[in-house]
Amino acid sequence: MQAIPIFLILSLLLSSSYAAVQDFCVGDLSGPDTPSGYTCKKKVTVSDFVYSGLGAAGNTSNIIKAAVTPAFADQFPGVNGLDISLARLDLAPSGVVPLHTHPGGSEVLIVAQGTICAGFISSANAVYFKNLNKGDIMVFPKGLLHFQINSGGSPALAFVSFSSSRPGLQITDFALFANDLPTEIINKVTFLDVAQIKKLKGVLGGTG
Amino acid sequence: MQAIPIFLILSLLLSSSYAAVQDFCVGDLSGPDTPSGYTCKKKVTVSDFVYSGLGAAGNTSNIIKAAVTPAFADQFPGVNGLDISLARLDLAPSGVVPLHTHPGGSEVLIVAQGTICAGFISSANAVYFKNLNKGDIMVFPKGLLHFQINSGGSPALAFVSFSSSRPGLQITDFALFANDLPTEIINKVTFLDVAQIKKLKGVLGGTG
Amino acid sequence: MQAIPIFLILSLLLSSSYAAVQDFCVGDLSGPDTPSGYTCKKKVTVSDFVYSGLGAAGNTSNIIKAAVTPAFADQFPGVNGLDISLARLDLAPSGVVPLHTHPGGSEVLIVAQGTICAGFISSANAVYFKNLNKGDIMVFPKGLLHFQINSGGSPALAFVSFSSSRPGLQITDFALFANDLPTEIINKVTFLDVAQIKKLKGVLGGTG
Amino acid sequence: MQAIPIFLILSLLLSSSYAAVQDFCVGDLSGPDTPSGYTCKKKVTVSDFVYSGLGAAGNTSNIIKAAVTPAFADQFPGVNGLDISLARLDLAPSGVVPLHTHPGGSEVLIVAQGTICAGFISSANAVYFKNLNKGDIMVFPKGLLHFQINSGGSPALAFVSFSSSRPGLQITDFALFANDLPTEIINKVTFLDVAQIKKLKGVLGGTG
Amino acid sequence: MQAIPIFLILSLLLSSSYAAVQDFCVGDLSGPDTPSGYTCKKKVTVSDFVYSGLGAAGNTSNIIKAAVTPAFADQFPGVNGLDISLARLDLAPSGVVPLHTHPGGSEVLIVAQGTICAGFISSANAVYFKNLNKGDIMVFPKGLLHFQINSGGSPALAFVSFSSSRPGLQITDFALFANDLPTEIINKVTFLDVAQIKKLKGVLGGTG
Amino acid sequence: MQAIPIFLILSLLLSSSYAAVQDFCVGDLSGPDTPSGYTCKKKVTVSDFVYSGLGAAGNTSNIIKAAVTPAFADQFPGVNGLDISLARLDLAPSGVVPLHTHPGGSEVLIVAQGTICAGFISSANAVYFKNLNKGDIMVFPKGLLHFQINSGGSPALAFVSFSSSRPGLQITDFALFANDLPTEIINKVTFLDVAQIKKLKGVLGGTG
């Protein structure tokens, strides 16, 4: 095998110009958004594929004693269009990630530290929950209500991955009580007492 | 053009045997289920593609004064694998379809009779609701919390279609209060008062 | 549970900025189009998710005595990217929606008024048709030829939903006779007599 | 690097048993069919991935002087579930593949021999057709009506590939005239004269 | 609101029987496999959604000083059909996960402990690699060659998630040298010297 | 049937303006790129759907005696968004398409001339290869390593189709030796001897 001619293989092998390929589409967050994700950044470096935002614990000095730190396409544009993303969950002792859904994807959680009671509820109203220890994983199928509670005495840490680069996060309480959805409507569609609704609206900043 | 030889085109044109095609896959509900839907019924007739179950009003003589009648793949196997299905909504005066999601698909509602106040809440906790009159349509994007309320003085009727043959239906109140999810957990993940939880568990048949 | 600190949960819970979510992508019809749909409108209100264009009957004062009124992404940008859309079908007595396909999706029809003879033909050339009464639904699998005929003595009304926000509509007669496709080619690819072709081109406005 | 220990990498690297992978799913044509394709054959050899059925010309001694030889999942189970398939087109001089659609996929045609006039019609009734010479390729977008005519004086050969392992093939004339669809219905949904319909039913073997 | 009648809502609201829903499809590994995944287990408990196999370190006492422990659908049937899965990576000091691809999905890696030099190569032959510290994440787009090397002095641990429940794992060296692919063919398709090929076949257990 | 009124059917039938349809999305290569493909060209002609670039043999006067001529979306924008594309393979006697993958799609090859030894390797490291003669076809499932060798004494020609409009092409040797991936890393992740690596880097133009 002689060296010099082979040196030309790259251009020879590919008869047509082949400059454009689409192995990935790092999101250009300033560009237009589409149903399949953001338009693609033109020049990328390795930094576009690496994200350090999950390295530090979220601030759990709040009432729920918990923090969710997402690495979705909006924080980590390298996953744009790739149907995958991550998030970090920090739960101080007795911390809780309240009842929520991800409208756009399924989730798998892995416990990195501590003990977490996690569960979901199916469309048939069946309840599936269990205490998870370090190294345990649990799957939460797409769109179903689920929750995580620190069920140990020490801080807990988990990483969650999603089958979408923008899975969304809809926390039921915030959807109901942290906006201006009228109390009368909430009462009708949830059967909750008006006093309970007003109490939670007060707590979560809602009006109406 | 001579008649007799053309009579043979059908077999001649297709050199290989071509018996099997897959334009559709009417679900065999007795067979195994798969992530893409039920296995396919072998012999089909026009009856497999027609369903009359939405022709009669659902029974709204209940507390919510509402009834949902689905024509999903489990009721109407003709839509199996086709990413589409329907349901009928009957709402007596002041009837309500409580807050719910469809984990598997988006929904479009069309008002056939009466007036309906319909709304949904986004992941960003923004509320979108409006009174819909006869002929109005509204879209509820995939997986988001939404509701329908008869806002007129007469019975209302709507038809809803979904982007899935099995969209699922998760009614928040039933997910919380119609099973054995422990009161303590509900309290932690929803901030609802224990008395409120117990009251609704009583009403909806839940235990724990 | 104390009120004030919880008021801050929303921002605390989500450690990273979380402004952008993609629950939906209301189409910006003036922007570029993509294989997955239009780019997304930046600011939306409830009006983007509601459409009233199906409320009025289409004009059936034409030879086919029928009208199709679509609510696809191009008329109703709220469904852009959501794999769902609707249309309204008005059929005066003896009205007909001629033989057609939707290249992009499956269809389910529900009869809201009157009686409709609807049918489709499979790739195996099997014919499936039936008289549908008020409340009956029928599915037309993706891409197959189908038709609807008012088979009762009174006006008929139906709503059709699709598994695509832009299912397309290709009416066989218009594809053949309402453009400049040369008569000679039509003759060769359909076996229709030249006189028949010229007659229909005359009727439907075709040339060539 | 020492030889013996590395010999064990294969089993050591993968801590869990890893026997089952799903790189492919060669169709078991005798098993159940599903919306995503046939169930998978358990043991496969290289023969499952190779097919010789396109090597011989189809028989064009028929009125249309053409033959289509498919290598879809039903003939070539190796493509089951892989969203790809092929077919061979033989067109004797003046041979024609009549107007047709593939309900399940897009098509690309490459001319291997001869000259072919190929065309398609869009949903907007725009006509796109052109004479293709050896080596030319043409794309026919999913579900649209298209045709191929040998426009040269010698036999033509083309290979067509599809974006589905079971794209289907609906030839408009066969859908209308090669079954028992009543003449009256055909007349209503196509505007064709009854005499024309009866003539083609006679030719193509239809009844009714 | 009176208690007793509401107790009946669940059955009343849903006019039709609604027993079957498909929120998930836990894989029945003994049943047939399909292009969309395994058929669904009929009865499930919370144990089907939890997996503890990633809790223990894989055995890195091998030449590459590394272990990959998968939780794909074949080990963790709860993710069947959900387009998501996980794996655990243990890398002793100087441990290496050799060059490989996942034919079926994209990957995101998070470093739980230690320092890992990870990289991938694009179709345009551009190289993207970086040292990742604890908490850093990196995405490896679908199907591209990539690798991980423990670049610190202590054991490293990472968790990787995939956008498929069965992403596959093709290690280039094993694909070439751990089977009976003839040396002559390997030489032709890789340009590697015969001596090099024979050496690695010896090490990895290949023949031919 | 009267002629004049029917002439108006087109506009009457479709009550709403219906100008925009999306049967296809010819790529505007100068516009933004998205995860689903390029944005759509606004005006198209039949030339956008035809490509002649595969008509001429690629230049095989190179060391591998082979040429790959792609008709992907970047060369043939008519396939943009349609999940299909083609390429032409020219192999002079003893020509070789080196070991490679297509990260984005499955491939089917048809031999148009000559004899080709083609093969692929599965995730389970099983090898599937065979001599293919004129007219034989072979499928290479998505993302798996495969190769083609002219195994006859005369030039060979093949056409390959893909299940993606941009399948990508990653030639293992170029990924390793035609860039600046450090020799030390290559050595670690492939077990190849440093001398072998340096030799191939020299041949293929790599540095580092």
Side-chain angles (χ1 to χ4, degrees):
Chain A
M1 200 156 71
Q2 290 168 292
I4 298 173
I6 295 188
F7 181 74
L8 301 172
I9 289 177
L10 194 63
S11 46
L12 290 171
L13 179 66
L14 300 167
S15 308
S16 295
S17 165
Y18 196 63
V21 290
Q22 197 194 45
D23 294 325
F24 42 72
C25 175
V26 175
D28 174 1
L29 301 189
S30 69
D33 201 355
T34 80
S36 66
Y38 289 104
T39 54
C40 315
K41 213 176 146 179
K42 300 222 169 186
K43 297 204 175 172
V44 300
T45 69
V46 66
S47 300
D48 288 298
F49 302 104
V50 176
Y51 184 64
S52 297
L54 303 193
N59 184 350
T60 59
S61 299
N62 53 52
I63 281 293
I64 58 163
K65 299 176 181 166
V68 177
T69 310
F72 297 171
D74 296 292
Q75 292 82 37
F76 179 27
V79 295
N80 184 54
L82 294 181
D83 293 332
I84 196 165
S85 62
L86 289 190
R88 172 192 180 117
L89 238 59
D90 290 283
L91 292 152
S94 70
V96 173
V97 181
L99 195 74
H100 65 285
T101 63
H102 304 286
S106 294
E107 171 184 338
V108 176
L109 173 149
I110 182 159
V111 179
Q113 185 188 317
T115 304
I116 292 173
C117 172
F120 72 89
I121 305 155
S122 76
S123 282
N125 300 319
V127 179
Y128 302 91
F129 70 100
K130 198 169 183 177
N131 268 312
L132 307 176
N133 298 310
K134 186 177 173 177
D136 286 349
I137 67 177
M138 183 166 183
V139 60
F140 306 95
K142 185 167 60 171
L144 298 179
L145 284 165
H146 60 287
F147 58 84
Q148 289 100 10
I149 301 171
N150 185 336
S151 52
S154 61
L157 171 63
F159 295 103
V160 288
S161 42
F162 300 94
S163 63
S164 163
S165 66
R166 296 163 94 182
L169 167 59
Q170 181 164 54
I171 299 176
T172 310
D173 261 40
F174 293 175
L176 286 172
F177 308 121
N179 48 37
D180 59 359
L181 184 60
T183 295
E184 187 192 352
I185 288 184
I186 301 176
N187 168 256
K188 280 187 183 157
V189 303
T190 64
F191 314 156
L192 293 174
D193 294 339
V194 166
Q196 174 75 86
I197 296 166
K198 287 187 179 296
K199 180 176 175 186
L200 286 169
K201 274 189 175 276
V203 169
L204 290 167
T207 58
Chain B
M1 199 158 73
Q2 290 168 292
I4 297 172
I6 295 187
F7 181 73
L8 300 172
I9 289 176
L10 192 63
S11 46
L12 289 172
L13 179 65
L14 301 167
S15 308
S16 296
S17 164
Y18 196 63
V21 289
Q22 197 194 45
D23 294 326
F24 42 73
C25 174
V26 175
D28 174 1
L29 301 189
S30 69
D33 201 356
T34 79
S36 65
Y38 289 103
T39 54
C40 315
K41 215 177 146 177
K42 299 221 170 187
K43 298 204 174 172
V44 300
T45 69
V46 66
S47 301
D48 289 298
F49 301 104
V50 176
Y51 183 64
S52 296
L54 303 193
N59 185 350
T60 60
S61 298
N62 53 51
I63 282 293
I64 59 164
K65 299 178 180 164
V68 177
T69 310
F72 297 172
D74 296 291
Q75 292 83 35
F76 180 26
V79 295
N80 185 55
L82 294 182
D83 293 333
I84 196 166
S85 62
L86 288 191
R88 172 191 179 116
L89 238 58
D90 290 284
L91 292 151
S94 70
V96 173
V97 182
L99 194 73
H100 65 284
T101 63
H102 304 286
S106 294
E107 171 184 339
V108 176
L109 173 149
I110 181 158
V111 179
Q113 185 189 318
T115 304
I116 292 174
C117 172
F120 72 89
I121 306 155
S122 76
S123 282
N125 301 317
V127 179
Y128 302 91
F129 71 99
K130 198 169 184 178
N131 268 312
L132 307 176
N133 298 309
K134 185 176 173 177
D136 286 350
I137 67 178
M138 183 168 183
V139 60
F140 307 93
K142 186 167 59 171
L144 297 179
L145 284 165
H146 60 288
F147 58 84
Q148 288 99 12
I149 301 170
N150 186 336
S151 52
S154 60
L157 170 64
F159 295 102
V160 288
S161 43
F162 299 94
S163 63
S164 163
S165 66
R166 296 163 94 182
L169 167 58
Q170 180 163 55
I171 299 175
T172 311
D173 262 40
F174 293 175
L176 286 172
F177 308 120
N179 49 36
D180 60 358
L181 185 59
T183 295
E184 187 192 352
I185 288 183
I186 301 174
N187 168 256
K188 280 187 183 157
V189 303
T190 65
F191 314 157
L192 293 174
D193 294 338
V194 166
Q196 175 75 86
I197 296 168
K198 287 188 180 297
K199 180 176 175 185
L200 285 170
K201 273 187 176 277
V203 168
L204 291 167
T207 57
Chain C
M1 201 160 69
Q2 290 168 290
I4 297 172
I6 295 188
F7 182 72
L8 301 172
I9 288 177
L10 193 62
S11 47
L12 290 172
L13 179 65
L14 301 166
S15 309
S16 295
S17 164
Y18 196 64
V21 288
Q22 197 194 45
D23 294 326
F24 41 73
C25 174
V26 175
D28 174 0
L29 302 190
S30 69
D33 201 355
T34 80
S36 66
Y38 289 103
T39 54
C40 314
K41 214 176 147 179
K42 299 219 171 189
K43 296 203 176 171
V44 299
T45 70
V46 67
S47 301
D48 289 297
F49 302 103
V50 176
Y51 184 64
S52 297
L54 304 193
N59 184 350
T60 60
S61 298
N62 53 51
I63 282 293
I64 58 164
K65 299 177 178 163
V68 177
T69 311
F72 298 171
D74 295 292
Q75 293 82 35
F76 180 26
V79 295
N80 185 54
L82 294 182
D83 293 332
I84 196 165
S85 62
L86 288 191
R88 171 192 180 115
L89 237 57
D90 290 283
L91 292 151
S94 69
V96 173
V97 181
L99 194 75
H100 65 284
T101 63
H102 303 287
S106 294
E107 170 184 339
V108 175
L109 173 150
I110 182 158
V111 179
Q113 183 188 318
T115 305
I116 292 174
C117 171
F120 71 89
I121 305 155
S122 77
S123 282
N125 300 318
V127 179
Y128 302 92
F129 70 100
K130 198 169 182 177
N131 268 313
L132 307 176
N133 297 309
K134 186 176 173 178
D136 286 349
I137 66 176
M138 183 168 184
V139 62
F140 306 94
K142 185 167 60 172
L144 297 178
L145 285 165
H146 60 288
F147 58 85
Q148 288 100 11
I149 301 171
N150 185 336
S151 52
S154 60
L157 171 62
F159 295 104
V160 287
S161 42
F162 299 93
S163 63
S164 165
S165 66
R166 296 162 94 182
L169 167 59
Q170 181 164 52
I171 299 177
T172 309
D173 260 41
F174 293 176
L176 286 172
F177 309 120
N179 49 35
D180 59 359
L181 184 60
T183 296
E184 186 192 353
I185 288 183
I186 301 176
N187 168 255
K188 279 186 184 159
V189 303
T190 64
F191 315 156
L192 293 174
D193 294 338
V194 166
Q196 175 75 87
I197 295 167
K198 286 186 180 298
K199 180 176 174 186
L200 287 170
K201 274 187 174 276
V203 169
L204 291 167
T207 57
Chain D
M1 200 158 71
Q2 289 169 294
I4 297 172
I6 296 188
F7 180 74
L8 301 172
I9 290 176
L10 194 62
S11 46
L12 290 172
L13 179 66
L14 301 166
S15 308
S16 294
S17 164
Y18 196 62
V21 289
Q22 198 194 46
D23 295 325
F24 42 72
C25 175
V26 175
D28 174 0
L29 302 190
S30 68
D33 201 356
T34 81
S36 67
Y38 290 103
T39 54
C40 314
K41 214 176 146 179
K42 299 221 168 187
K43 297 204 173 170
V44 299
T45 69
V46 67
S47 300
D48 289 298
F49 301 104
V50 175
Y51 183 63
S52 296
L54 302 193
N59 184 350
T60 59
S61 299
N62 53 51
I63 282 293
I64 58 163
K65 299 178 179 164
V68 177
T69 310
F72 297 171
D74 295 292
Q75 292 82 35
F76 180 26
V79 295
N80 184 55
L82 294 182
D83 292 333
I84 196 166
S85 61
L86 288 191
R88 171 192 180 117
L89 238 58
D90 290 284
L91 291 152
S94 70
V96 173
V97 181
L99 195 75
H100 66 284
T101 63
H102 303 286
S106 295
E107 171 184 337
V108 176
L109 173 149
I110 181 159
V111 180
Q113 183 188 319
T115 305
I116 292 175
C117 172
F120 72 88
I121 306 155
S122 77
S123 282
N125 301 318
V127 180
Y128 302 91
F129 70 100
K130 198 170 183 178
N131 268 311
L132 307 176
N133 298 308
K134 187 176 172 178
D136 285 350
I137 66 177
M138 183 166 183
V139 62
F140 307 94
K142 187 166 59 171
L144 297 179
L145 284 165
H146 60 289
F147 58 84
Q148 288 99 11
I149 301 171
N150 185 336
S151 53
S154 59
L157 170 63
F159 294 104
V160 287
S161 41
F162 300 94
S163 65
S164 164
S165 66
R166 296 163 94 183
L169 168 59
Q170 181 163 54
I171 300 176
T172 310
D173 261 40
F174 293 176
L176 285 172
F177 308 120
N179 48 37
D180 59 358
L181 184 59
T183 294
E184 188 192 351
I185 289 183
I186 301 176
N187 168 256
K188 280 187 183 155
V189 303
T190 65
F191 314 156
L192 293 175
D193 294 338
V194 167
Q196 175 74 85
I197 295 167
K198 287 188 179 296
K199 180 176 174 185
L200 285 170
K201 275 189 174 272
V203 168
L204 291 167
T207 58
Chain E
M1 200 157 68
Q2 290 168 290
I4 297 173
I6 296 189
F7 180 73
L8 301 172
I9 288 176
L10 193 62
S11 46
L12 289 171
L13 179 65
L14 300 166
S15 309
S16 295
S17 164
Y18 196 63
V21 289
Q22 197 194 44
D23 295 327
F24 42 72
C25 174
V26 175
D28 174 359
L29 301 190
S30 69
D33 201 355
T34 81
S36 66
Y38 289 103
T39 53
C40 314
K41 215 176 146 177
K42 299 222 168 186
K43 297 204 173 171
V44 300
T45 69
V46 67
S47 300
D48 289 297
F49 301 104
V50 175
Y51 183 64
S52 297
L54 303 193
N59 184 351
T60 60
S61 299
N62 53 51
I63 281 293
I64 59 164
K65 299 178 179 164
V68 178
T69 310
F72 297 171
D74 296 290
Q75 292 83 36
F76 180 26
V79 294
N80 185 54
L82 294 181
D83 293 332
I84 196 166
S85 62
L86 288 192
R88 172 192 180 115
L89 238 59
D90 290 284
L91 292 151
S94 68
V96 173
V97 181
L99 194 75
H100 65 284
T101 64
H102 303 287
S106 294
E107 170 184 339
V108 176
L109 173 149
I110 181 157
V111 179
Q113 183 189 318
T115 304
I116 291 175
C117 171
F120 72 88
I121 305 155
S122 76
S123 281
N125 301 318
V127 180
Y128 302 92
F129 70 99
K130 198 169 184 179
N131 268 312
L132 307 176
N133 297 309
K134 187 177 172 177
D136 286 349
I137 66 176
M138 182 168 184
V139 61
F140 307 94
K142 185 167 61 171
L144 297 179
L145 285 165
H146 60 289
F147 58 84
Q148 288 99 12
I149 301 171
N150 185 336
S151 52
S154 59
L157 170 64
F159 295 104
V160 287
S161 43
F162 300 94
S163 64
S164 164
S165 66
R166 296 163 94 182
L169 168 59
Q170 180 164 53
I171 300 177
T172 309
D173 261 40
F174 294 175
L176 286 172
F177 307 120
N179 48 37
D180 58 359
L181 184 60
T183 295
E184 187 192 352
I185 288 182
I186 302 176
N187 168 256
K188 280 186 182 157
V189 302
T190 64
F191 314 156
L192 293 175
D193 294 337
V194 166
Q196 175 75 87
I197 296 167
K198 287 188 179 297
K199 181 176 174 185
L200 285 170
K201 274 188 175 274
V203 169
L204 291 167
T207 57
Chain F
M1 202 158 71
Q2 290 168 291
I4 297 173
I6 296 189
F7 181 73
L8 300 172
I9 289 177
L10 194 62
S11 46
L12 290 172
L13 179 66
L14 300 167
S15 308
S16 294
S17 164
Y18 196 63
V21 289
Q22 197 194 46
D23 295 324
F24 42 73
C25 175
V26 175
D28 174 0
L29 302 190
S30 68
D33 201 355
T34 80
S36 67
Y38 290 104
T39 54
C40 314
K41 215 176 145 177
K42 300 223 169 186
K43 297 206 174 170
V44 299
T45 70
V46 66
S47 300
D48 289 297
F49 302 104
V50 175
Y51 183 64
S52 297
L54 303 193
N59 184 350
T60 60
S61 299
N62 53 52
I63 281 292
I64 58 163
K65 299 176 179 165
V68 177
T69 310
F72 297 172
D74 295 291
Q75 292 82 35
F76 180 27
V79 295
N80 185 54
L82 294 182
D83 293 332
I84 195 166
S85 61
L86 288 191
R88 170 192 181 118
L89 238 58
D90 290 283
L91 292 152
S94 68
V96 173
V97 181
L99 195 74
H100 65 284
T101 63
H102 302 288
S106 294
E107 171 184 340
V108 176
L109 173 150
I110 181 158
V111 179
Q113 184 188 318
T115 304
I116 291 174
C117 172
F120 73 87
I121 305 156
S122 76
S123 281
N125 300 319
V127 179
Y128 301 91
F129 69 99
K130 198 169 183 178
N131 267 311
L132 307 176
N133 298 309
K134 186 176 172 178
D136 286 350
I137 65 177
M138 182 166 184
V139 62
F140 306 93
K142 186 167 60 170
L144 297 179
L145 284 166
H146 60 289
F147 57 84
Q148 289 99 10
I149 301 171
N150 184 336
S151 53
S154 59
L157 170 64
F159 295 103
V160 287
S161 42
F162 300 93
S163 64
S164 164
S165 67
R166 295 163 95 183
L169 167 60
Q170 181 165 54
I171 300 176
T172 310
D173 261 41
F174 293 176
L176 287 172
F177 308 120
N179 49 36
D180 59 357
L181 184 60
T183 295
E184 186 192 352
I185 288 183
I186 302 176
N187 168 255
K188 279 186 182 157
V189 303
T190 64
F191 314 156
L192 294 174
D193 294 339
V194 166
Q196 175 74 87
I197 296 167
K198 286 188 179 298
K199 181 176 174 185
L200 286 170
K201 274 187 175 275
V203 168
L204 290 167
T207 57

